[in-house]
Amino acid sequence: MRGTRSIQSTILWRLVPGLIFFVVTTGITSYVLSAEQLKSNAYANINDTVSQSKNYLDDRLGVLLSAVVAMFNNNYNNTDLVQSLIHSDNPDFAAGPIDYIVWNQSLNQFYSYDNYDMVDSVVLWYNNGKIALARTDHIFKPLHFTVMPYLNRTEGSLATVFWKNLHDRDIQYNSENDSKVASIYEWVGQNRTDPKGVFIVNIKADFFKKILSSPKISDNGYLLLASPDGLMRFKTVSEKYELDDEQLRKRLQETPSAFGRMEMRSKYGSNMTVIYDTLGANHWKLAAVFPEEEVLSKVNNIKYLNILVIAGAVLFAILFSTLLTRYISKPIKHLIRQVNRIEEGNLNISVKEWPQNEMTVLNYGLKDMVERIQMLLQQVKDEQEMKRQIEISLLQAQIQPHFLYNTLFSIKQLCDLGEAKEAGRMITALSTFFRISISKGQEVISIAQELEQVQTYLFIQQMRYGDAFQYKIDVEPSLLTCTIVKLTLQPIVENAIYHGIKKSEHQGWIQISGYCTDGDIYLFVEDNGVGLESEKIAELRAGLSDTGPVKGGFGVVNVHKRLQMNYGYNYGLHYESEPGKGTLVTIKIRKVPEQPTG
């Protein structure tokens, strides 16, 4: 797979950096342009808000101003109201019904449909209070208020119409509305430089509140009205963004330009922007105050969105490059994978059709080669199996003549001793032994048949040696139906008799036992003969493991090889022995149940 990774890496390293550079450059340029555009749009929108609010206030307050000015115009003596006020200058003046009608008509005209949402109350005070009346929609207490604040004028001023920012209402009445009002008032009297009275129109605080609170500047942005005598605002903002109202009012009043923008810092150091314009009706400053960071929050959102888009585009570029690389290298990777499988010994490979025709040709060529290898391997396998069968037959043929020679020699000895009956029994036992040994040409038989064969053999040997030894067979019944290579136990038992018990001076015994664990069967042949010297046991083990020459024990080595040919190299015989303590032979075979015959 190393070659495939090299191809993938080369393509990726050449393609991905260029795509990433293009995506990042495009994203940064887009962010800078969009951020500047958003910032410009944000300030433009707030400028529009201030301008529209200013125009609306100018329109509404201008109408009210015109009405107040028209009440006492240059033709001062021509109006009924003025004539009524002049008559009140006489010491014996007593107001009549007509006077009251004129006064009320003059006050009521400010409650027209157009002005109703603005006007809170109208007050006329003249000639030291000889004429003191008010018009409001509420029941109010007798008119008692201090008139002097309305008659004071800034030194050097020639105006006769004045504006007053939010203040407490001068006439008292019960109402759920705010007690704060703004006022427009005009001096009354023939000598305007020394007025004898004042005409006041109080404007509702709610009128200004709706105008200043309706536009959405930002979460902590607000509109305000600043005048020489105060500052009007209604929105409460976070303490972090609070400005000193008096300082702000002074800066707005002192600025020479009618409109513009300026920067200030809040009490906690936040950058605040003030965009302002001037009302034509009363020259108050209408200003929008807002934290710079909130207006630019959309810019930050664009920045974060842009980062996400760039990251997504980079990931897309990497993914696209990876997919393109896979498309190019996948056929090669598949071919290398098939070669690796062949190296591991797995010759089952698959052939795929690829858009690249050359790779398809290579795949079919590899498949044809593997099919020829499989054919050759099968041929070798068949030849090896044939060779194995021949070797097993030869080994078995070597064992049977060896046993037959020993048994016939024993029968000859009985005949020589005149034991014809015993010799007959031995011949019968011998025939039983060979009947099982032949087993219709089968190489493996059941463990029950193998034990019967060994028991027959032991019977023959007991007849030869009398009470020289005893034997016991104790194998788990569940193993009797499992199979074993025939003539496995007999050569081992034969060695136990001839090389162990026969050389011992005491009565011998042989025990055959067996059990099953983890899918394997363990059979044990144990005797109490003379045992084997360490050198002999080492030679025997070397012969069994093919690490040394076979010196004696030809039959045992043949049995071991037959078991390995049938079950594998992890199976076979294992010897344990000590001089004078006998020998223990362990036979390990795979558990294979006997197949029923049809």
Side-chain angles (χ1 to χ4, degrees):
M1 303 299 291
R2 188 176 302 168
T4 304
R5 291 194 184 98
S6 177
I7 294 172
Q8 291 177 342
S9 301
T10 302
I11 297 175
L12 287 174
W13 276 109
R14 291 184 178 180
L15 185 61
V16 171
L19 288 174
I20 292 177
F21 176 78
F22 173 77
V23 169
V24 172
T25 303
T26 303
I28 293 175
T29 304
S30 173
Y31 164 69
V32 171
L33 294 177
S34 60
E36 288 299 322
Q37 186 62 45
L38 280 174
K39 186 176 180 180
S40 176
N41 290 344
Y43 284 122
N45 289 336
I46 296 174
N47 271 311
D48 290 343
T49 299
V50 172
S51 178
Q52 291 172 9
S53 300
K54 175 250 183 185
N55 292 336
Y56 182 75
L57 282 171
D58 266 341
D59 181 60
R60 298 300 305 276
L61 296 179
V63 171
L64 197 62
L65 175 63
S66 298
V68 172
V69 171
M71 186 73 68
F72 305 97
N73 57 20
N74 291 332
N75 297 323
Y76 186 76
N77 295 330
N78 292 340
T79 65
D80 292 338
L81 175 61
V82 171
Q83 291 299 323
S84 178
L85 296 179
I86 293 174
H87 292 160
S88 68
D89 291 337
N90 296 326
D92 56 351
F93 173 76
I98 295 179
D99 294 313
Y100 283 106
I101 292 173
V102 170
W103 298 339
N104 285 325
Q105 286 177 346
S106 300
L107 271 58
N108 286 340
Q109 67 178 315
F110 288 93
Y111 282 87
S112 66
Y113 177 79
D114 293 336
N115 297 331
Y116 190 79
D117 63 327
M118 295 174 57
V119 178
D120 175 85
S121 56
V122 183
V123 178
L124 177 62
W125 188 95
Y126 187 76
N127 200 2
N128 294 322
K130 282 187 177 181
I131 299 176
L133 52 92
R135 166 70 170 88
T136 180
D137 288 337
H138 305 277
I139 299 174
F140 59 92
K141 297 178 181 180
L143 189 60
H144 295 289
F145 68 97
T146 304
V147 72
M148 290 309 298
Y150 292 94
L151 298 179
N152 292 332
R153 182 168 60 183
T154 304
E155 184 176 353
S157 174
L158 299 179
T160 59
V161 178
F162 307 90
W163 294 84
K164 190 175 184 180
N165 214 315
L166 281 185
H167 62 280
D168 290 330
R169 188 187 297 111
D170 298 299
I171 58 175
Q172 304 298 320
Y173 58 81
N174 296 327
S175 173
E176 296 179 357
N177 296 331
D178 196 342
S179 62
K180 298 284 187 180
V181 293
S183 302
I184 176 174
Y185 61 94
E186 183 177 10
W187 285 348
V188 179
Q190 291 181 337
N191 184 1
R192 294 295 182 93
T193 60
D194 185 20
K196 297 181 67 176
V198 64
F199 182 79
I200 306 168
V201 179
N202 291 320
I203 305 172
K204 297 176 182 178
D206 282 347
F207 167 75
F208 293 102
K209 186 175 182 179
K210 290 178 182 178
I211 296 174
L212 299 181
S213 300
S214 295
K216 174 69 173 178
I217 306 298
S218 69
D219 291 340
N220 288 281
Y222 56 91
L223 288 176
L224 61 83
L225 280 171
S227 65
D229 64 329
L231 186 143
M232 184 191 306
R233 54 170 283 198
F234 297 96
K235 185 174 181 179
T236 301
V237 298
S238 173
E239 189 176 8
K240 174 183 177 182
Y241 303 112
E242 281 287 357
L243 291 174
D244 186 321
D245 286 348
E246 182 60 21
Q247 182 183 4
L248 175 59
R249 184 192 68 79
K250 287 182 178 180
R251 286 198 59 181
L252 287 171
Q253 289 300 310
E254 292 171 358
T255 180
S257 58
F259 59 89
R261 186 173 78 192
M262 60 184 181
E263 308 295 331
M264 295 186 69
R265 282 190 176 274
S266 70
K267 299 175 183 179
Y268 291 90
S270 298
N271 292 328
M272 306 294 291
T273 301
V274 181
I275 295 177
Y276 62 90
D277 203 344
T278 304
L279 300 182
N282 53 13
H283 302 292
W284 287 4
K285 288 288 194 306
L286 174 65
V289 182
F290 54 90
E292 185 181 29
E293 62 188 43
E294 287 190 352
V295 171
L296 300 182
S297 63
K298 291 184 178 180
V299 176
N300 291 331
N301 292 338
I302 289 294
K303 177 177 70 176
Y304 299 137
L305 179 61
N306 205 62
I307 291 173
L308 289 176
V309 170
I310 290 175
V314 169
L315 290 176
F316 174 78
I318 295 174
L319 180 61
F320 173 76
S321 302
T322 303
L323 292 176
L324 180 61
T325 303
R326 287 184 179 178
Y327 173 78
I328 296 173
S329 62
K330 191 174 182 180
I332 301 175
K333 182 187 257 187
H334 175 75
L335 184 62
I336 294 175
R337 189 182 298 115
Q338 302 306 316
V339 172
N340 289 337
R341 292 181 64 183
I342 294 172
E343 289 179 354
E344 295 170 357
N346 187 352
L347 299 181
N348 295 319
I349 65 172
S350 59
V351 175
K352 291 186 177 181
E353 298 284 345
W354 301 100
Q356 304 91 329
N357 184 60
E358 295 82 358
M359 298 307 302
T360 303
V361 172
L362 286 175
N363 273 276
Y364 275 110
L366 180 64
K367 182 175 182 295
D368 292 340
M369 181 189 71
V370 170
E371 288 177 350
R372 292 180 64 185
I373 291 174
Q374 285 178 322
M375 183 176 65
L376 292 174
L377 288 176
Q378 184 62 40
Q379 183 178 345
V380 172
K381 183 178 178 181
D382 293 341
E383 292 176 354
Q384 291 294 327
E385 179 64 22
M386 184 181 298
K387 181 180 179 181
R388 188 180 70 87
Q389 295 293 340
I390 294 171
E391 288 179 350
I392 291 175
S393 299
L394 290 175
L395 289 172
Q396 185 172 330
Q398 290 174 348
I399 292 173
Q400 289 178 354
H402 176 73
F403 170 66
L404 178 60
Y405 169 78
N406 290 334
T407 305
L408 291 176
F409 183 77
S410 298
I411 295 173
K412 175 183 178 299
Q413 287 180 329
L414 288 175
C415 292
D416 291 342
L417 295 172
E419 299 290 340
K421 184 176 181 181
E422 296 300 325
R425 294 176 62 188
M426 285 185 69
I427 292 172
T428 301
L430 181 61
S431 64
T432 301
F433 176 84
F434 274 103
R435 175 181 55 81
I436 297 174
S437 180
I438 294 172
S439 302
K440 299 180 181 179
Q442 295 177 352
E443 295 181 14
V444 295
I445 59 176
S446 67
I447 293 179
Q449 291 175 308
E450 180 71 10
L451 292 176
E452 182 183 0
Q453 191 178 40
V454 169
Q455 192 170 10
T456 303
Y457 174 78
L458 288 170
F459 168 75
I460 295 172
Q461 298 295 55
Q462 269 191 332
M463 290 184 64
R464 291 183 59 197
Y465 298 107
D467 296 331
F469 69 91
Q470 300 292 326
Y471 67 88
K472 180 181 179 181
I473 299 176
D474 183 17
V475 176
E476 290 182 2
S478 60
L479 303 181
L480 298 179
T481 57
C482 296
T483 60
I484 189 172
V485 177
K486 63 185 175 182
L487 292 176
T488 295
L489 295 176
Q490 184 272 331
I492 298 171
V493 171
E494 181 179 353
N495 280 348
I497 295 173
Y498 282 100
H499 302 291
I501 295 174
K502 188 175 179 181
K503 297 179 180 180
S504 176
E505 296 178 355
H506 53 79
Q507 186 181 28
W509 55 264
I510 297 173
Q511 180 170 333
I512 301 173
S513 59
Y515 67 88
C516 178
T517 180
D518 296 330
D520 292 330
I521 295 175
Y522 293 87
L523 298 174
F524 304 94
V525 178
E526 186 177 5
D527 66 74
N528 64 341
V530 296
L532 297 173
E533 299 292 337
S534 58
E535 293 81 2
K536 292 290 185 180
I537 195 71
E539 291 177 359
L540 182 58
R541 289 175 178 173
L544 294 178
S545 61
D546 291 330
T547 59
V550 179
K551 297 181 180 180
F554 178 77
V556 171
V557 172
N558 282 345
V559 170
H560 180 72
K561 289 184 177 181
R562 291 170 61 222
L563 293 176
Q564 287 189 332
M565 285 183 180
N566 276 274
Y567 301 113
Y569 288 100
N570 293 327
Y571 298 90
L573 305 181
H574 177 72
Y575 271 77
E576 297 178 20
S577 181
E578 291 184 25
K581 294 185 178 180
T583 302
L584 173 64
V585 182
T586 303
I587 303 110
K588 179 183 177 183
I589 62 174
R590 189 186 303 115
K591 183 179 180 181
V592 181
E594 184 179 18
Q595 298 296 326
T597 57

